[in-house]
Amino acid sequence: MQTTVESRHYFVPEPSHWPIIGSLALFCMGLGAAFAINEMPVGSFVLAAGVALLVWMLFGWFGDVIREGLRGLYHAQEDMSFRWGMGWFIFSEVMFFGALFGALFYVRVISLPELGNMQHKLLYPEFVPSWPLVSGPGIQATYEAMQAWGLPAINTLILLTSGATVTWAHWGMLRGHRRVLSNGLLLTVILGVVFLTLQMWEYSHALHELNLTLASGAYGMTFYMLTGFHGLHVLLGTLILAVVWLRVRRGHFDERHHFAFEAAAWYWHFVDVVWLMLFVFVYWL
Amino acid sequence: MAIADTAGHAPHTGKPTGLGRWLFATNHKDIGSLYLWFSFIMFLTGGVMALAIRLELFSPGLQFWQPELFNQLVTLHGLIMIFGAIMPAFNGLANWMLPLMIGAPDMAFARMNNWSFWLLPPAALLLLLSFFVPGGAAASGWTMYAPLSTQMGMGMDMTIFAIHILGVSSIMGAINIIVTVLNLRAPGLTLMKMPMFAWASLITAYLIIAVMPVLAGAVTMVLTDRHFGTHFFNAAGGGDPVMYQHVFWFFGHPEVYIMALPAFGIISQVIPTFSRKRLFGYTSMVYATASIAILSFMVWAHHMFTTGMPATAQLFFMYATMLIAVPTGVKVFNWVATMWQGSLTFETPMLFAIGFICLFTIGGLSGVILSVAAVDTQLQDTYYVVAHFHYVLVAGALFSLFSAVYYWFPKMTGRMYSERLGKLHFWWSMVWFNVTFFPMHFLGLAGMPRRIPDYALQFTDFNSLATIGAFCFGLGQLIVLYNLLISLRRGPPAVEHPWEGAQTLEWRIPTPAPYHSFVEAPEVDADDNGVIHAVRGGTHH
């Protein structure tokens, strides 16, 4: 444990140039994206420059944080701050997915039945609400829904297994078994990559064989938006775990100081839980 | 870890200089000042837009702006004032004062704090630049209702991305506030003893983290509807424009309290100080603040009584909304009870605080009137609503901010502001605020719709009066600018303890506050509302 004197000095970092670079990056990304999606010139270049700046900033900033951690500047109180911070960050992510799930439930429970009722017969005489939706009400093209008990079920198993492997790695960390830690993490990263690959395969199947696109009405939009944002989070989680694995290989962390690992694991479990919700409400029911 | 480095562990003493001090700042006071100045500039920017709106409404017919530009001004006035002026101003005050009030060395994440601030200017720039792109700025009103928002030009896209950036900024700011309050309090300052301003900031931060991502989700759906073929808000694909309103107001109603709760916190510090009494009913204040926050998640559809929903839902949202008046009433009565039999003096912060209580109560009560579904059917989208929310946001949030800035000015700068100018600023604002916004109640009751550049002849007199009031009110804000600038340079040095009734921790440190305060955590013997009996330890440099 920390001595009292030590824990009374809370670490306050030196002035840093990384945040302002991050701000410039997001400005370029916002402006560039707005120009790019409206087919204005230079939009995509500005967007790409913004992304590059952001990546540079993330390397620099996290590099500073890792170096400070290695110099022993973080103690019990700082560690507690990081834990609170990560927890609230994940809560914000939960609320973001909450908005998209809210949209899913709204179209399924309220707007589709309403569009099929008597009052809307004049507007959409042919429309029969069903879930998953296969066409209409105003869309002519037909498309098919993704089946739950094929690839998605395998993906569920993969993510659940990866939750177990990351816990195995944690167990290794806590007992000082570096080999278990390293292998568990590597296995988790591999499972993440496999999940993403299968997900891309599934998308290609949906696009080419099921004729399912973002523009395929209520089913297509909720399917792609929810699984797409989830996929981005898996990608991010995999990258985070990969960085943690690289750090483990370099000998970072010990039994007591491994917040980065725990944060990555929390994030991974969060992504896992979102997937379970997705599997139940997007694919299965 | 591997290498112990106690030298790097002890905080640095030097004060950075030049532009880098502001661009790379990790000091909560510097970042707080950046927030406050930025929000004041945005207040003037949004204020100029408000005056442009009032100018057009001085007389019926179209004189100055085309309806498109008028709608853009209405939209950007709202967005700039909410996200650029009020929220950053409260965040700036929290940055400046929280560490001083709870005995923390800085904010919990000092570097992230810098990013929270420096994301604001790019976002504001995106919003303002959107005036100059083809199609102009977003013209949908700050609520960005679909299908208006799914149809406009690229100004809408810039607005969407600006909102994403503002969301990132305020979520990081909120995480910082929560962690600072929960983890960095001085030993002895328990949760149920900490100042109401800390409580209000904590609960507000919780609301921000809960709802800003929902707004991000809503505008993301607008973006994909606009460009990527989704039908979230389009019946042709099975979506529903009303769904936008549900998602938006799930964010939007807590947002109202994001702009009101910190104001309650400020008033709960200022009133006891100038009444020379302890805050009446501290515990009930804490619980009232928390109940307002929880209730704010279940009242959103009262903004949508006329967009169609089952009568049962209308009744639920109506009663839930009325329920919020109970904890809010608890607060108002507690403030009045605090003043009761106190030895009151009326320095500028106190004047603004009392002005706040009077006018916020009017705004709160007109809110209760609007919560009645049957009445709201008549008043929806009329100037009555405009009058209502300007009573809570201008006389509420803005007056509390003025109160706070005057109250803490001596501690921040080491100089006194001019009391004479401060009082002039208060009375001037008080009079012209009411001249501007009180007649809007009558206009709304008579049926004048909001967000329209033209109006029927019978509304002329009150509109002209409101325009005169608005220009005078706007002019009056130059008084505070002048007062602050002149006092910063030439104000008389502030005494160590300018308000003898102030008993919270920030008044126990030297004036002006040292650049690094509470480098070492003090141990305090504290009481309700952060009243400090004794401080041991705690060093500054």
Side-chain angles (χ1 to χ4, degrees):
Chain A
M1 284 304 295
Q2 309 303 317
T3 65
T4 344
V5 180
E6 258 187 331
S7 62
R8 280 187 182 185
H9 285 289
Y10 189 81
F11 174 72
V12 179
E14 296 285 338
S16 165
H17 57 280
W18 295 118
I20 195 112
I21 291 172
S23 299
L24 188 64
L26 288 202
F27 178 70
C28 291
M29 286 166 71
L31 194 70
F35 275 62
I37 55 180
N38 288 283
E39 277 114 36
M40 305 268 282
V42 307
S44 29
F45 294 105
V46 178
L47 177 60
V51 173
L53 273 175
L54 187 71
V55 170
W56 180 46
M57 177 278 251
L58 289 172
F59 268 92
W61 192 330
F62 282 114
D64 280 357
V65 172
I66 290 168
R67 279 183 287 277
E68 283 160 6
L70 292 178
R71 282 169 63 203
L73 300 181
Y74 301 150
H75 297 81
Q77 202 181 7
E78 288 84 350
D79 206 52
M80 186 53 87
S81 285
F82 294 150
R83 275 154 214 278
W84 277 117
M86 191 66 196
W88 285 101
F89 168 65
I90 290 177
F91 175 58
S92 79
E93 294 266 42
V94 169
M95 293 308 291
F96 177 76
F97 277 99
L100 295 178
F101 272 106
L104 172 71
F105 296 142
Y106 190 96
V107 293
R108 288 184 61 172
V109 179
I110 297 178
S111 74
L112 283 178
E114 204 168 283
L115 285 167
N117 69 15
M118 282 309 288
Q119 290 171 9
H120 291 84
K121 279 295 171 227
L122 202 63
L123 191 58
Y124 302 120
E126 308 295 320
F127 181 61
V128 183
S130 64
W131 192 266
L133 206 57
V134 287
S135 183
I139 293 173
Q140 303 304 324
T142 56
Y143 45 89
E144 283 174 64
M146 186 59 71
Q147 295 302 311
W149 298 107
L151 247 180
I154 296 172
N155 261 346
T156 307
L157 277 179
I158 289 172
L159 273 197
L160 287 178
T161 313
S162 75
T165 52
V166 82
T167 305
W168 185 49
H170 194 191
W171 181 86
M173 172 82 89
L174 292 178
R175 281 169 181 69
H177 299 167
R178 302 291 289 192
R179 203 180 179 77
V180 171
L181 168 62
S182 174
N183 290 343
L185 267 172
L186 184 61
L187 211 54
T188 313
V189 172
I190 291 171
L191 287 170
V193 173
V194 172
F195 173 90
L196 287 168
T197 316
L198 289 179
Q199 197 71 347
M200 285 195 312
W201 189 20
E202 183 197 68
Y203 273 17
S204 142
H205 169 66
L207 285 171
H208 298 121
E209 282 146 56
L210 305 179
N211 191 29
L212 185 68
T213 66
L214 253 186
S216 302
Y219 179 76
M221 74 191 185
T222 48
F223 171 79
Y224 281 109
M225 288 288 272
L226 277 161
T227 56
F229 273 109
H230 175 264
L232 284 178
H233 283 75
V234 175
L235 177 64
L236 190 60
T238 308
L239 287 173
I240 295 171
L241 286 168
V243 171
V244 172
W245 178 70
L246 286 174
R247 290 186 61 191
V248 167
R249 302 278 296 171
R250 288 196 186 181
H252 295 189
F253 309 121
D254 60 36
E255 288 83 343
R256 282 191 297 116
H257 299 96
H258 52 260
F259 167 73
F261 174 87
E262 281 191 47
W266 291 359
Y267 194 77
W268 195 248
H269 288 310
F270 151 72
V271 168
D272 216 357
V273 171
V274 172
W275 175 262
L276 288 180
M277 300 281 292
L278 279 178
F279 183 72
V280 174
F281 293 110
V282 176
Y283 291 98
W284 182 18
L285 296 180
Chain B
M1 285 298 303
I3 316 152
D5 185 352
T6 39
H9 199 45
H12 30 87
T13 48
K15 188 171 175 172
T17 50
L19 196 59
R21 174 179 170 192
W22 306 105
L23 292 181
F24 312 139
T26 47
N27 180 289
H28 72 101
K29 300 180 184 76
D30 285 349
I31 296 173
S33 303
L34 285 169
Y35 263 113
L36 289 172
W37 280 112
F38 173 80
S39 63
F40 195 78
I41 292 166
M42 285 296 113
F43 167 62
L44 296 182
T45 312
V48 168
M49 294 176 187
L51 295 185
I53 294 166
R54 284 317 316 171
L55 189 66
E56 179 58 52
L57 293 173
F58 181 73
S59 53
L62 293 180
Q63 280 87 22
F64 296 94
W65 326 117
Q66 290 303 303
E68 291 80 7
L69 180 58
F70 182 86
N71 287 347
Q72 294 171 19
L73 287 168
V74 170
T75 306
L76 269 285
H77 165 71
L79 288 172
I80 294 269
M81 285 302 200
I82 291 168
F83 294 107
I86 296 179
M87 286 173 69
F90 283 130
N91 212 325
L93 281 173
N95 255 297
W96 241 106
M97 301 319 300
L98 273 184
L100 304 186
M101 294 177 100
I102 64 174
D106 203 294
M107 296 298 277
F109 306 109
R111 237 176 337 221
M112 189 171 85
N113 201 17
N114 175 312
W115 204 23
S116 302
F117 170 74
W118 278 109
L119 281 176
L120 293 175
L125 202 59
L126 274 180
L127 283 177
L128 294 175
L129 282 177
S130 72
F131 273 110
F132 306 103
V133 297
S140 51
W142 83 278
T143 49
M144 299 170 286
Y145 275 6
L148 280 176
S149 54
T150 52
Q151 292 170 9
M152 291 171 172
M154 69 176 287
M156 192 70 215
D157 298 316
M158 294 171 76
T159 307
I160 289 170
F161 292 126
I163 285 173
H164 281 138
I165 297 176
L166 290 165
V168 173
S169 154
S170 51
I171 289 170
M172 288 193 302
I175 290 177
N176 227 330
I177 287 175
I178 292 188
V179 177
T180 307
V181 170
L182 292 182
N183 196 34
L184 264 60
R185 270 174 292 118
L189 193 67
T190 57
L191 280 176
M192 285 311 285
K193 283 177 179 166
M194 73 184 181
M196 274 314 294
F197 181 66
W199 263 113
S201 299
L202 174 70
I203 294 173
T204 305
Y206 159 72
L207 288 179
I208 289 176
I209 301 179
V211 300
M212 285 308 284
V214 176
L215 176 66
V219 297
T220 304
M221 288 188 264
V222 170
L223 185 76
T224 56
D225 267 19
R226 290 168 57 80
H227 294 286
F228 303 104
T230 59
H231 295 80
F232 284 105
F233 310 124
N234 182 349
D240 186 354
V242 176
M243 178 169 83
Y244 176 85
Q245 299 186 22
H246 281 291
V247 183
F248 179 84
W249 285 114
F250 184 84
F251 146 81
H253 204 78
E255 172 68 20
V256 171
Y257 294 99
I258 288 168
M259 295 184 282
L261 295 184
F264 296 166
I266 290 164
I267 301 304
S268 302
Q269 307 301 139
V270 172
I271 295 278
T273 294
F274 295 96
S275 305
R276 289 153 187 83
K277 272 179 66 190
R278 300 274 287 278
L279 180 69
F280 183 87
Y282 169 76
T283 312
S284 67
M285 283 300 221
V286 173
Y287 285 115
T289 311
S291 353
I292 292 172
I294 299 300
L295 282 171
S296 74
F297 287 108
M298 12 186 161
V299 298
W300 76 88
H302 69 214
H303 296 269
M304 306 166 53
F305 282 142
T306 58
T307 43
M309 85 181 94
T312 329
Q314 293 204 345
L315 286 173
F316 170 81
F317 285 110
M318 172 172 123
Y319 288 126
T321 306
M322 288 176 170
L323 214 52
I324 292 194
V326 177
T328 314
V330 167
K331 291 187 152 289
V332 172
F333 285 117
N334 278 345
W335 291 322
V336 174
T338 306
M339 289 191 281
W340 184 257
Q341 294 195 327
S343 359
L344 274 67
T345 49
F346 299 97
E347 288 87 347
T348 311
M350 183 62 162
L351 288 175
F352 271 106
I354 295 173
F356 168 94
I357 296 176
C358 298
L359 298 183
F360 188 89
T361 304
I362 295 178
L365 290 176
S366 62
V368 178
I369 292 167
L370 285 168
S371 76
V372 183
V375 176
D376 186 74
T377 310
Q378 298 293 311
L379 296 178
Q380 169 92 41
D381 277 334
T382 66
Y383 261 81
Y384 193 87
V385 178
V386 178
H388 156 68
F389 69 72
H390 282 93
Y391 265 80
V392 284
L393 289 181
V394 180
L398 184 64
F399 276 26
S400 80
L401 284 164
F402 284 140
S403 176
V405 168
Y406 285 115
Y407 180 57
W408 282 311
F409 187 83
K411 182 53 70 182
M412 291 174 174
T413 64
R415 291 183 185 274
M416 256 339 250
Y417 62 87
S418 155
E419 193 63 52
R420 202 171 49 84
L421 285 174
K423 287 200 165 88
L424 175 69
H425 175 221
F426 168 72
W427 285 110
W428 184 277
S429 300
M430 184 75 178
V431 168
W432 295 113
F433 168 82
N434 282 293
V435 170
T436 310
F437 292 104
F438 206 76
M440 291 186 188
H441 290 108
F442 306 133
L443 286 169
L445 287 168
M448 180 176 162
R450 62 191 281 214
R451 292 171 169 167
I452 308 275
D454 193 3
Y455 50 81
L457 291 179
Q458 69 268 27
F459 301 134
T460 310
D461 289 346
F462 280 139
N463 267 300
S464 307
L465 188 62
T467 298
I468 292 168
F471 274 85
C472 291
F473 182 85
L475 208 62
Q477 304 321 307
L478 298 178
I479 302 173
V480 61
L481 182 63
Y482 175 77
N483 192 356
L484 295 184
L485 287 177
I486 209 81
S487 308
L488 266 175
R489 306 191 65 172
R490 289 207 290 268
V495 293
E496 205 63 22
H497 208 172
W499 323 116
E500 83 274 14
Q503 294 181 299
T504 38
L505 189 57
E506 77 272 27
W507 304 104
R508 296 291 187 116
I509 65 174
T511 301
Y515 194 64
H516 295 290
S517 42
F518 298 121
V519 170
E520 224 172 80
E523 265 183 62
V524 297
D525 178 8
D527 218 322
D528 283 2
N529 200 24
V531 168
I532 300 295
H533 296 307
V535 186
R536 283 175 303 281
T539 50
H540 321 288
H541 23 235

